[in-house]
Amino acid sequence: MDKPLNEEQLLSRAWTLFAKDDYAGVLNVCQHGYTHGVRSYDLIRLMLDSLNKLGKAQEQAEVTLKVLGENEYPPKVAAKLYFRAGLIFQHQDNHDEARKIFQQVKILDPDFPGIEQRIKALNPRRSPSGSSRYSYLLETGLVTAEQMARVLAQDAKDPDLVLLTDYKISKTDLGESLARFYNTEFVPFSPSKEPPFELFEKRRLDPDFLKRYGWIPFSQEGQVITVLMTNPFDLGRLDEIKFIYGTSHIEAKVALAADIEQFIEHFYKQIGGGDDLAAAFDEDVEASDTSGALDISEAELSEQDSEVVRMVNALLVEAWRKNVSDIHIEPNPHARHCMFRFRVDGTCYEFRKVRLALARPIVSRLKIMANLDIAERRLPQDGKIKIKLPERNKLVEYRMATIPTLEGMEDVVLRVLASGKPLPLDKLGLSARNKTTFERMIYKPYGLILVVGPTGSGKTTTLHSALSYINTPERKIWTAEDPVEITQEGLRQVQMQPKIGLTFASAMRSFLRADPDVIMIGEMRDKETAHIGVEASLTGHLVLSTLHTNSAPETVTRLLDMDLDPFNFADSLLCVLAQRLVKTLCTNCKEAYTSSAQEVMEMGMEFGLGWEEHAREFLQAKPTLYRKVGCSQCVNGYRGRLGVHELMVNSSGIKIQIKHRKPTEDIRAQAVTEGMLTLKQDGMLKVLLGLTDMEQVRAATG
């Protein structure tokens, strides 16, 4: 790079390379800019991020200190740079250097989040006779040094509990000792404390997880979240909490382990609506001998029975707590039980079995809640249930469908519509390149954008994320959906009613008379809707919709088969985003391993052209992949789901293919030539990042 570039040009080039994961290239561009006098924070940050991606932590710290020594930045900017260097030294266990750097951060920005706590945690520890959790007890003579030594020698027991029970130390005195050591407030258990519902709503935390790691969210004032911890000096745990809540504004207060457990049980009892769910259900019902006569007495149990009401309420609440997407209720007259199954992250698993006599009363109770006909058992029915959770004003919707099965029974499927707000666009799992391109497309003033994939692939979620990104007061946005699952302020959303003639096509025609800027159609499922959508996009409107096709190139063929004019369609189409959902590896238990040469070769063959380019960093370094293990926080080694995508932009080359009605294979070849990554290729790059594994990618993409 001979010719000096200005700051905007440098950053543009650097971000382009960063999106392609070419971190060595980013480093060269940033170093070139720095040499020629461009020393903005953005450029320095890209340089440091690239060094981090290349695994050069020590060099990253040295560059940071060098830059700070050679330049003058505003105090808050300099504080950010010093903090990054301090973290590196801390992770290298160079606590003296880390402490000095964090002290410099405090001088530059006294309000820097959590800096005092980090400095305090890195202060040199003195011997137990000097400073420890129990120094106050020793100084006041409440315990002797010999007694304390005996307490600490009992590794199997909690020292706090031993002091309280065996040595009769009051909780007040013990709390004072802990407060002085950690320089924070001691919080004892109080049964009058109300749970911080908003914090539990924000992140669904497992109570066993909280007990295991000794902390609990306690309150929130403004942006500051207060948590109780047994050890507020545990920086690793604090960083984990900050990641969970997505904020650095975390204040830790100290509490006894026993009190934290009491808080957890107290909070969850109120959040869960009283008794634990397990108490609402019978013990697991094993399959029994079916040779005898089936005995279901509805006289004994009705839909109004307290046991049935309590069980249904507990089931709905527990599904929400476990982040379940679907509840399946399946009576089995032959095995003489009714099974409840939960779908989590796309996979069904057995939750519980109850005795068969409860099946009909449970179904009837759900029908009453959904305003359905409890006497009709021969025909399928659809409805919706709204319940208010024990939290303040927390409403959760369940879309209910009943289907008649053998021997007069009915299956019930409940879709949990607990997510009332769209996901941010950067949470969809789009690669940097796809995200940048997609954002550019949805900001176009007119045209047609399609999101495609099978049922349950997250198409509606993606559309609403896109709408949320462009949802401003300057834009009038109409949506036609069936059903409306996600609501957004600012959108005018219409529920389809086919029985009365309110279809996607009729809604589209009405929208065009209502001065829209953006129109979202739930699905282009017929010729009429497709034709109106294309016409709307050609007349100055941005139209977004979904389609059930397997890939982006196949979408073109499918729509042309609907008798769309190829010239109009080619001119209207902006892009097609195909997607699938794959399970992500649990971050708590996933295991790193060095992949074999054979495995790497097979991945390269499966990826196809461009493998060396996209996997350059992986191939140059020690080829490390991750595999599932399994722990208490996940299901079979997986936790959550991630999108894999295939974004086809309608370039001039693609337009020619469409106008000449070329087959799918030709369109795909043209798109790949222009840089499109297929679904499998995008998934494989996420395998290299350690987010998922090849088993999930192959299962989702074929």
Side-chain angles (χ1 to χ4, degrees):
M1 193 184 300
D2 300 323
K3 184 182 178 182
L5 302 174
N6 61 37
E7 182 178 341
E8 186 178 349
Q9 291 172 322
L10 282 166
L11 288 173
S12 176
R13 183 171 294 186
W15 276 116
T16 302
L17 293 170
F18 198 89
K20 294 179 179 179
D21 300 337
D22 186 1
Y23 306 118
V26 177
L27 199 57
N28 289 333
V29 171
C30 293
Q31 288 172 337
H32 171 84
Y34 189 87
T35 304
H36 288 83
V38 180
R39 302 184 175 188
S40 68
Y41 175 73
D42 289 334
L43 190 82
I44 303 302
R45 184 165 61 87
L46 271 172
M47 189 191 304
L48 298 176
D49 287 344
S50 299
L51 287 169
N52 184 50
K53 292 287 188 179
L54 293 169
K56 299 179 179 180
Q58 186 60 39
E59 192 172 337
Q60 184 185 357
E62 293 170 357
V63 168
T64 304
L65 298 177
K66 177 177 179 289
V67 166
L68 287 164
E70 294 177 353
N71 303 274
E72 287 190 12
Y73 293 101
K76 289 186 180 295
V77 173
K80 289 181 183 178
L81 292 171
Y82 271 117
F83 185 73
R84 292 172 69 118
L87 284 177
I88 295 169
F89 285 113
Q90 181 188 323
H91 292 155
Q92 293 175 342
D93 293 329
N94 189 347
H95 290 177
D96 290 339
E97 189 66 28
R99 187 174 63 259
K100 292 176 185 176
I101 293 174
F102 288 147
Q103 286 169 342
Q104 184 65 29
V105 173
K106 186 181 178 183
I107 294 170
L108 291 165
D109 184 3
D111 297 325
F112 197 95
I115 196 64
E116 288 189 8
Q117 202 166 34
R118 285 190 179 272
I119 295 171
K120 191 190 305 177
L122 292 171
N123 283 334
R125 295 285 189 270
R126 290 172 285 173
S127 64
S129 61
S131 179
S132 78
R133 286 167 56 95
Y134 310 110
S135 295
Y136 175 78
L137 303 179
L138 292 165
E139 293 166 3
T140 54
L142 293 170
V143 292
T144 65
E146 292 78 13
Q147 290 173 326
M148 184 55 65
R150 286 198 295 272
V151 170
L152 297 176
Q154 302 180 50
D155 294 333
K157 294 185 178 181
D158 180 3
D160 295 345
L161 189 61
V162 173
L163 288 169
L164 290 171
T165 55
D166 295 355
Y167 292 89
K168 309 302 179 185
I169 303 297
S170 71
K171 185 183 287 190
T172 302
D173 289 331
L174 180 56
E176 179 68 19
S177 185
L178 298 179
R180 287 171 178 249
F181 177 69
Y182 293 112
N183 193 25
T184 188
E185 181 184 351
F186 170 75
V187 181
F189 173 74
S190 172
S192 61
K193 169 63 180 172
E194 192 171 288
F197 294 109
E198 66 281 357
L199 297 179
F200 286 92
E201 180 183 341
K202 192 176 295 182
R203 291 291 182 271
R204 300 173 191 175
L205 303 168
D206 183 73
D208 292 333
F209 168 78
L210 296 174
K211 289 179 182 178
R212 188 181 305 114
Y213 295 109
W215 71 276
I216 189 170
F218 189 70
S219 64
Q220 182 172 9
E221 292 185 16
Q223 293 185 329
V224 180
I225 296 174
T226 300
V227 299
L228 302 186
M229 300 178 66
T230 55
N231 179 13
F233 284 167
D234 189 343
L235 294 180
R237 189 68 57 218
L238 277 170
D239 287 340
E240 183 179 86
I241 296 169
K242 290 174 183 178
F243 176 79
I244 288 173
Y245 284 105
T247 179
S248 58
H249 300 286
I250 301 293
E251 181 185 359
K253 296 181 179 180
V254 68
L256 301 177
D259 283 358
I260 288 177
E261 287 200 15
Q262 280 189 284
F263 272 123
I264 292 170
E265 292 171 2
H266 173 64
F267 286 178
Y268 275 96
K269 186 175 181 179
Q270 294 186 60
I271 293 170
D275 297 334
D276 189 77
L277 182 66
F281 287 95
D282 295 343
E283 295 182 0
D284 289 353
V285 178
E286 302 293 334
S288 58
D289 183 11
T290 59
S291 59
L294 183 63
D295 181 22
I296 305 175
S297 175
E298 291 189 310
E300 295 178 6
L301 287 165
S302 73
E303 66 276 0
Q304 301 297 339
D305 190 274
S306 62
E307 180 182 5
V308 174
V309 172
R310 188 161 60 96
M311 189 177 297
V312 169
N313 292 344
L315 179 70
L316 298 177
V317 172
E318 186 71 0
W320 176 82
R321 284 173 49 185
K322 291 183 177 291
N323 203 24
V324 170
S325 63
D326 299 89
I327 307 168
H328 296 258
I329 301 173
E330 303 169 345
N332 189 333
H334 301 287
R336 300 178 65 85
H337 67 239
C338 179
M339 182 184 294
F340 298 94
R341 294 201 293 165
F342 285 169
R343 185 180 297 277
V344 180
D345 295 335
T347 301
C348 275
Y349 72 93
E350 181 183 324
F351 172 63
R352 196 165 299 273
K353 295 174 183 173
V354 299
R355 64 185 189 272
L356 189 59
L358 288 166
R360 281 184 179 171
I362 287 172
V363 173
S364 295
R365 175 63 184 171
L366 289 167
K367 283 183 176 180
I368 290 171
M369 296 173 75
N371 294 317
L372 301 180
D373 184 0
I374 64 171
E376 181 56 75
R377 298 173 182 168
R378 300 166 300 170
L379 295 173
Q381 297 186 71
D382 297 315
K384 186 177 284 188
I385 296 172
K386 286 187 179 181
I387 66 168
K388 181 178 285 187
L389 292 178
E391 290 100 309
R392 304 168 184 160
N393 301 320
K394 177 62 181 177
L395 289 173
V396 181
E397 292 186 359
Y398 302 81
R399 195 175 73 221
M400 177 175 166
T402 69
I403 302 174
T405 55
L406 293 174
E407 301 191 24
M409 292 294 176
E410 291 175 281
D411 275 27
V412 177
V413 179
L414 295 156
R415 168 66 56 88
V416 185
L417 308 177
S419 177
K421 296 182 180 179
L423 283 175
L425 206 56
D426 56 2
K427 300 294 185 183
L428 295 179
L430 289 161
S431 65
R433 178 181 177 183
N434 283 345
K435 179 175 176 290
T436 302
T437 305
F438 192 60
E439 287 175 353
R440 192 174 72 249
M441 291 295 107
I442 61 179
Y443 257 108
K444 296 281 186 180
Y446 56 86
L448 177 63
I449 295 174
L450 297 169
V451 180
V452 303
T455 301
S457 59
K459 300 185 296 296
T460 302
T461 300
T462 298
L463 281 183
H464 271 279
S465 296
L467 291 177
S468 175
Y469 192 77
I470 61 174
N471 184 11
T472 62
E474 293 78 25
R475 289 184 177 86
K476 181 63 177 283
I477 304 176
W478 285 99
T479 76
E481 303 171 72
D482 187 23
V484 177
E485 296 185 11
I486 299 173
T487 57
Q488 290 193 55
E489 186 176 352
L491 269 58
R492 310 312 301 156
Q493 298 176 262
V494 181
Q495 170 72 52
M496 297 299 94
Q497 303 284 350
K499 292 180 180 179
I500 60 173
L502 182 55
T503 62
F504 287 122
S506 63
M508 278 282 290
R509 284 193 292 268
S510 299
F511 290 170
L512 292 173
R513 297 190 293 270
D515 188 29
D517 294 303
V518 181
I519 298 173
M520 191 271 270
I521 302 298
E523 184 184 349
M524 282 190 175
R525 58 178 62 160
D526 56 69
K527 294 181 182 179
E528 188 179 7
T529 306
H531 279 270
I532 297 172
V534 170
E535 290 172 9
S537 65
L538 290 171
T539 54
H541 306 95
L542 182 65
V543 180
L544 297 90
S545 186
T546 71
L547 208 63
H548 285 93
T549 56
N550 291 323
S551 68
E554 287 178 45
T555 305
V556 173
T557 307
R558 169 77 183 282
L559 287 170
L560 290 176
D561 288 341
M562 290 183 178
D563 295 331
L564 288 182
D565 180 75
F567 289 88
N568 286 341
F569 179 45
D571 290 336
S572 69
L573 185 65
L574 291 175
C575 69
V576 182
L577 179 70
Q579 66 180 57
R580 299 287 190 279
L581 292 177
V582 297
K583 295 180 184 178
T584 52
L585 293 168
C586 175
T587 54
N588 184 61
C589 67
K590 66 179 182 181
E591 181 182 64
Y593 72 96
T594 303
S595 54
S596 64
Q598 177 69 21
E599 186 176 10
V600 174
M601 185 183 70
E602 290 176 356
M603 288 182 69
M605 293 175 64
E606 201 164 348
F607 190 96
L609 295 175
W611 169 249
E612 290 78 10
E613 177 189 354
H614 290 286
R616 185 186 297 112
E617 184 182 352
F618 174 76
L619 296 172
Q620 290 176 350
K622 189 177 181 181
T624 302
L625 294 175
Y626 291 83
R627 56 192 168 206
K628 63 181 182 181
V629 177
C631 66
S632 60
Q633 299 181 34
C634 65
V635 179
N636 298 325
Y638 300 105
R639 185 180 182 187
R641 287 192 292 177
L642 175 76
V644 295
H645 304 90
E646 179 178 280
L647 181 60
M648 185 181 78
V649 178
N650 190 21
S651 63
S652 56
I654 298 293
K655 285 183 179 180
I656 293 171
Q657 301 282 332
I658 296 173
K659 290 175 180 179
H660 289 85
R661 292 182 174 272
K662 294 292 186 178
T664 301
E665 292 74 19
D666 291 358
I667 298 172
R668 180 180 289 107
Q670 179 68 32
V672 170
T673 301
E674 294 175 359
M676 182 189 80
L677 288 175
T678 65
L679 286 164
K680 178 170 282 189
Q681 288 173 334
D682 187 61
M684 291 180 71
L685 294 181
K686 286 164 182 171
V687 171
L688 300 187
L689 293 173
L691 301 174
T692 186
D693 56 25
M694 284 303 300
E695 178 185 346
Q696 291 301 313
V697 172
R698 292 187 183 108
T701 63

